[in-house]
Amino acid sequence: MDVSPQAVLEEQLSNPSCELSAAESVALVEHCVSLGEENAQAATGKEVVMVLGNTGAGKSTFLNYLLGCQMEAKRAKDLGLPGKKRVIRVAPTSNIDEVMPIGHGGASKTFMPTIMSDLTNADRVYCDCPGFSDNRGAEINMSNAVNIKRVLQVARDVKAIILASYSSMFSDRSASLRSLNAMCCQLFGG
């Protein structure tokens, strides 16, 4: 039986807890790495400003702000989201539309390293990386690691910005912060 990698990817993204057969798992990793290879070409020979961090740290929000979007804080319930805290989003009145999709729930929004050109410098691109400990399965996590590494390999220069949520410094005795540090050491060496 032939496995449609795109169909497996769509199923995994919409239902991360679905169980994959061995053939589906391999097809998914191969497909995601192939997509990542294509995507990384936009960073070839460029200065890459790479934003890394755990899922939910605010990487996409930060990049939208950095790229000139006007941001606003809204109560979660006003956006139909659970919880009492406020969320940051691109304001509907922003002159620049949302550049990087922002996730406000528990699910990751960034599927693979997303490359965006700097409109003021043709030699620079921004890379919105999927969160470490992504919540969409081992295959997606493995593909993310390969795809981030690929962007690093093709870039002329890399400036890494590592984001951590304020709460990660205090919750779980800083376990998520230590995990972030370990992931960065694996990615960059050290």
Side-chain angles (χ1 to χ4, degrees):
M1 173 177 94
D2 284 338
V3 176
S4 164
Q6 187 60 37
V8 174
L9 173 59
E10 290 168 10
E11 175 64 22
Q12 188 68 22
L13 292 176
S14 67
N15 181 12
S17 61
C18 72
E19 291 198 29
L20 302 177
S21 69
E24 289 171 329
S25 189
V26 169
L28 178 58
V29 171
E30 288 176 346
H31 183 60
C32 290
V33 168
S34 174
L35 291 173
E37 180 67 33
E38 246 177 72
N39 191 44
Q41 296 313 306
T44 300
K46 308 260 182 178
E47 174 188 306
V48 175
V49 177
M50 182 176 277
V51 182
L52 302 144
N54 288 330
T55 299
K59 299 174 299 296
S60 301
T61 302
F62 172 73
L63 276 167
N64 276 294
Y65 175 76
L66 193 64
L67 292 168
C69 294
Q70 181 185 346
M71 310 303 286
E72 70 176 7
K74 296 294 272 183
R75 292 185 310 184
K77 73 175 188 174
D78 291 344
L79 299 174
L81 299 169
K84 296 183 179 184
K85 60 184 194 171
R86 297 172 71 76
V87 295
I88 306 296
R89 70 173 188 174
V90 175
T93 57
S94 177
N95 291 332
I96 299 173
D97 291 334
E98 183 177 68
V99 179
M100 306 291 187
I102 300 172
H104 292 295
S108 299
K109 201 71 159 172
T110 307
F111 156 61
M112 72 170 54
T114 303
I115 311 293
M116 175 56 65
S117 297
D118 183 330
L119 300 177
T120 64
N121 182 342
D123 291 326
R124 180 183 303 131
V125 296
Y126 295 92
C127 181
D128 186 11
C129 291
F132 295 139
S133 304
D134 188 277
N135 51 17
R136 291 176 286 196
E139 295 83 4
I140 300 290
N141 276 335
M142 285 188 289
S143 302
N144 286 344
V146 170
N147 292 334
I148 291 169
K149 203 69 151 162
R150 187 63 186 141
V151 172
L152 292 172
Q153 290 170 338
V154 301
R156 180 192 78 229
D157 234 357
V158 176
K159 291 184 169 87
I161 298 171
I162 301 165
L163 295 183
S165 68
Y166 180 75
S167 64
S168 71
M169 291 187 259
F170 306 104
S171 64
D172 300 341
R173 297 184 179 174
S174 301
S176 60
L177 204 54
R178 286 192 303 277
S179 172
L180 175 61
N181 181 55
M183 293 286 199
C184 289
C185 287
Q186 289 174 358
L187 191 60
F188 296 110

